[in-house]
Amino acid sequence: MIEFQGFLDNIENLEHRERMEGILRYLADKFPRLKREIKWGQPMFSDHGTFIIAFSTSKQHISVAPEAVVLDLFDDEIKEAGYQRTKETFRIKWTDEIDFDLIDKMIEYNIEDKKDMTKFWR
């Protein structure tokens, strides 16, 4: 998790930092082949040079960014989980449960859908 340590260290609220670290650690363990990196100040995971998912934080929530195409495909599940959606992200309040199954499905979709892509973004 050394790739994300600088990002995590900048989260002032210790509970928020631990929660974000737990999410990133879970994903690193679940998807070990994905590259962990910081781009644009955000922790993200990529596969063979193509974007898979990124995260950012605010005082109220964690933003999850798997690209708009994926958000559109999983829109109903995002709503069912009780998360707020924007055009490019969905938000998990610090007090919300983390729907890891939903995040896993989004990542698995991106890995499969982008397996032949040679550029970073869709």
Side-chain angles (χ1 to χ4, degrees):
M1 292 292 295
I2 196 163
E3 303 88 353
F4 299 142
Q5 197 59 53
F7 171 82
L8 293 167
D9 288 345
N10 286 324
I11 301 173
E12 291 180 17
N13 183 309
L14 186 56
E15 289 179 26
H16 294 178
R17 182 186 311 164
E18 290 173 353
R19 191 145 199 233
M20 188 73 244
E21 182 175 2
I23 293 168
L24 296 172
R25 186 174 305 284
Y26 166 84
L27 294 175
D29 291 345
K30 175 89 179 189
F31 300 98
R33 80 177 227 198
L34 296 181
K35 182 178 180 183
R36 294 171 244 164
E37 53 192 327
I38 298 285
K39 289 190 181 219
W40 301 282
Q42 300 177 2
M44 61 179 56
F45 294 85
S46 62
D47 188 27
H48 69 277
T50 189
F51 175 83
I52 299 298
I53 198 163
F55 299 85
S56 61
T57 61
S58 75
K59 288 185 179 188
Q60 282 77 37
H61 62 266
I62 300 164
S63 290
V64 183
E67 285 189 301
V69 168
V70 180
L71 292 170
D72 291 342
L73 286 170
F74 289 91
D75 189 61
D76 289 341
E77 290 178 65
I78 292 167
K79 290 175 184 168
E80 286 173 21
Y83 301 143
Q84 182 184 20
R85 161 114 191 253
T86 69
K87 184 177 177 187
E88 299 290 331
T89 68
F90 70 92
R91 297 175 179 165
I92 303 172
K93 293 178 187 172
W94 290 111
T95 56
D96 287 344
E97 289 292 319
I98 307 293
D99 187 339
F100 284 106
D101 289 339
L102 175 58
I103 295 171
D104 290 351
K105 285 192 260 183
M106 290 177 172
I107 290 171
E108 290 163 357
Y109 175 83
N110 262 346
I111 290 170
E112 177 62 26
D113 190 57
K114 298 177 87 175
K115 67 183 177 201
D116 297 323
M117 289 191 78
T118 57
K119 55 187 182 172
F120 192 70
W121 304 111
R122 275 188 174 83

